[in-house]
């Protein structure tokens, strides 16, 4: 069970391993994506290309769906970024046989957006965790937890790619050694649990009173969605890449530099950042130096002046 790109590595590694026979792939229904075109999820598209059976139910918590699984004599259900909660009916029938991949150092960052919040909060490490699903939110016992360092310059795309690979290997290893990892499974400490919320578009707005590190972390975390942004002359300017600079005084939203030679440097609550890649409404993202060849942002003023 999976839907987005993050789940592809797991499906791929299981498909090519002769120890496994994938009886069924379950994904989200097709929907309108870019430019109104109705397209399948990356997982459905991959599965169809490999000749695998695919279904896209609006709910996996029906008698019909459970009966469909039972007809196929399924041993394990693997869940990776599927997007639906697994209800009591499935949990009862496949007790301790539903394994989830969660990209965080559980019990930290339970919930829908652990990779983004790990970056947003400036964490230096995270993990790919293969865990049992139970009725709680990402609270099941841990089978395998593979720690991964987070590089200072890594953004969401970088982290997603690495964790999808490490996570795929963790799922494969949990299945191949299930009796052992199940016997040695680790119960999560609920008192240490933290939770992350669903990401909204408004969360991308840059607050220039924040520190340089906090602003750059927001850029790194939200580079896929919603993309960090600031407003200049009534237009929302998206920031795809930025870095912390030293040697500048705190002066929030003050434009220190804005020219093709020196780039775009803006003051923060404790110094300044350089915006490396910017995107104006209706335009492609580009290097700030290129953007400033044809677009003007006034220097020596605050953005809202």
């Amino acid at each position: 069970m999976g839907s987005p790109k993050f789940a592809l590595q797991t499906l791929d590694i299981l498909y090519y391993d002769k120890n496994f026979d994938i009886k069924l792939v379950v994904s989200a229904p097709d929907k309108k994506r870019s430019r109104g075109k109705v397209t399948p999820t990356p997982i459905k598209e991959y599965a169809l290309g490999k000749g695998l059976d695919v279904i896209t139910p609006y709910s996996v918590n029906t008698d019909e769906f459970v009966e469909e699984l039972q007809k196929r004599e399924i041993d394990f259900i693997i869940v990776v970024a599927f997007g639906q909660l697994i209800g009591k009916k499935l949990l009862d029938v496949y007790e301790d046989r539903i394994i989830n991949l969660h990209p965080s150092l559980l019990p930290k960052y339970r919930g829908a957006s652990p990779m983004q919040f790990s970056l947003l909060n400036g964490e230096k490490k995270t993990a790919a965790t293969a865990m049992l699903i139970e009725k709680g939110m990402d609270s099941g016992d841990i089978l395998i937890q593979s720690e991964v360092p987070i590089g200072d310059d890594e953004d969401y795309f970088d982290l997603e790619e690495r964790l999808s690979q490490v996570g795929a290997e963790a799922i494969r290893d949990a299945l191949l050694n299930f009796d052992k990892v199940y016997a040695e499974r680790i119960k999560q400490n609920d008192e240490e649990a933290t939770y992350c919320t669903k990401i909204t578009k408004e969360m991308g707005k840059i607050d220039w009173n924040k520190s340089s590190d906090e602003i750059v972390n927001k850029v790194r975390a939200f580079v896929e969605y919603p993309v960090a942004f600031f407003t200049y002359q009534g237009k929302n300017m998206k920031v795809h890449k930025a870095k912390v600079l030293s040697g500048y005084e705190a002066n929030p939203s003050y434009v220190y530099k804005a020219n093709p030679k020196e780039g775009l440097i803006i003051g923060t609550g404790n110094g300044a950042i350089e915006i490396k890649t910017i995107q104006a409404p209706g335009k492609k993202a580009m290097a700030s130096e290129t953007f400033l060849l044809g677009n003007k942002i006034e220097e020596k003023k605050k953005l809202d002046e």
Side-chain angles (χ1 to χ4, degrees):
M1 295 183 182
S3 295
K5 176 188 171 189
F6 180 71
L8 280 175
Q9 289 276 17
T10 300
L11 180 54
D12 185 72
I13 205 170
L14 298 181
Y15 175 78
Y16 282 106
D17 192 312
K18 296 295 189 284
N19 292 289
F20 307 117
D21 176 18
I22 299 173
K23 297 290 186 71
L24 181 66
V25 174
V26 184
S27 197
D30 298 359
K31 69 175 185 179
K32 283 187 179 180
R33 300 176 203 279
S34 61
R35 298 175 182 171
K37 186 179 179 183
V38 177
T39 56
T41 67
I43 285 296
K44 179 181 176 181
E45 190 171 24
Y46 176 98
L48 290 175
K50 300 298 185 188
L52 297 168
D53 286 352
V54 186
I55 59 174
T56 56
Y58 284 96
S59 173
V60 296
N61 299 306
T62 63
D63 290 336
E64 293 79 12
F65 181 78
V66 175
E67 289 166 7
E68 179 68 33
L69 295 194
Q70 288 177 310
K71 280 193 302 187
R72 295 170 185 265
E73 299 179 345
I74 286 168
D75 298 309
F76 290 97
I77 299 172
I78 306 302
V79 181
V80 186
F82 177 49
Q84 289 188 37
L85 289 175
I86 308 299
K88 185 176 187 300
K89 193 179 298 290
L90 267 180
L91 291 172
D92 287 346
V93 174
Y94 293 94
E95 184 177 5
D96 290 346
R97 290 188 290 150
I98 306 179
I99 302 175
N100 179 51
L101 172 59
H102 189 77
S104 87
L105 196 56
L106 287 171
K108 293 183 73 172
Y109 300 117
R110 294 175 178 176
S113 45
M115 289 183 282
Q116 292 94 329
F117 272 84
S118 295
L119 290 163
L120 189 65
N121 293 332
E123 299 286 359
K124 298 301 182 186
K125 64 180 179 179
T126 184
T129 303
M131 55 175 289
L132 297 174
I133 285 187
E134 58 173 35
K135 64 179 182 294
M137 170 70 78
D138 298 322
S139 57
D141 293 349
I142 293 170
L143 300 174
I144 293 177
Q145 189 166 69
S146 302
E147 284 196 19
V148 172
I150 300 176
D152 292 339
D153 296 327
E154 276 194 297
D155 64 18
Y156 173 80
F157 291 126
D158 300 323
L159 193 58
E160 178 190 48
E161 185 174 344
R162 286 205 299 134
L163 282 178
S164 67
Q165 182 61 50
V166 173
E169 293 166 0
I171 290 291
R172 179 194 60 197
D173 293 347
L175 285 169
L176 289 174
N177 305 287
F178 184 77
D179 290 344
K180 180 177 186 295
V181 297
Y182 181 79
E184 298 172 356
R185 67 193 186 279
I186 299 169
K187 187 171 182 60
Q188 292 190 50
N189 184 347
D190 290 339
E191 293 181 1
E192 296 177 356
T194 61
Y195 295 85
C196 46
T197 61
K198 189 174 181 180
I199 293 167
T200 63
K201 188 174 182 180
E202 293 72 28
M203 290 169 70
K205 186 172 178 61
I206 292 171
D207 178 356
W208 295 104
N209 294 297
K210 298 288 189 181
S211 72
S212 298
D213 282 323
E214 288 175 296
I215 293 170
V216 170
N217 286 344
K218 174 171 283 198
V219 173
R220 295 163 65 213
F222 294 156
V223 70
E224 180 194 45
Y225 176 84
V227 185
F229 68 93
F230 66 90
T231 303
Y232 181 67
Q233 296 184 343
K235 296 179 179 179
N236 287 344
M237 313 296 289
K238 293 181 176 180
V239 180
H240 291 261
K241 192 173 183 64
K243 76 172 187 176
V244 176
L245 296 179
S246 59
Y248 286 85
E249 290 185 6
N251 196 349
S253 89
Y254 182 78
V255 182
Y256 281 103
K257 305 286 184 185
N259 61 77
K261 188 175 180 180
E262 298 170 293
L264 180 56
I265 298 173
I266 300 176
T268 69
N270 72 339
I273 66 167
E274 180 183 2
I275 293 176
K276 304 290 288 182
T277 308
I278 192 169
Q279 182 179 11
K283 305 292 185 181
K284 290 184 177 180
M286 61 183 74
S288 293
E289 292 85 353
T290 304
F291 172 82
L292 291 165
L293 285 170
N295 299 272
K296 185 173 177 60
I297 294 179
E298 286 198 63
E299 294 184 340
K300 314 304 181 188
K301 284 188 175 182
K302 295 208 170 191
L303 290 168
D304 54 1
E305 287 180 352

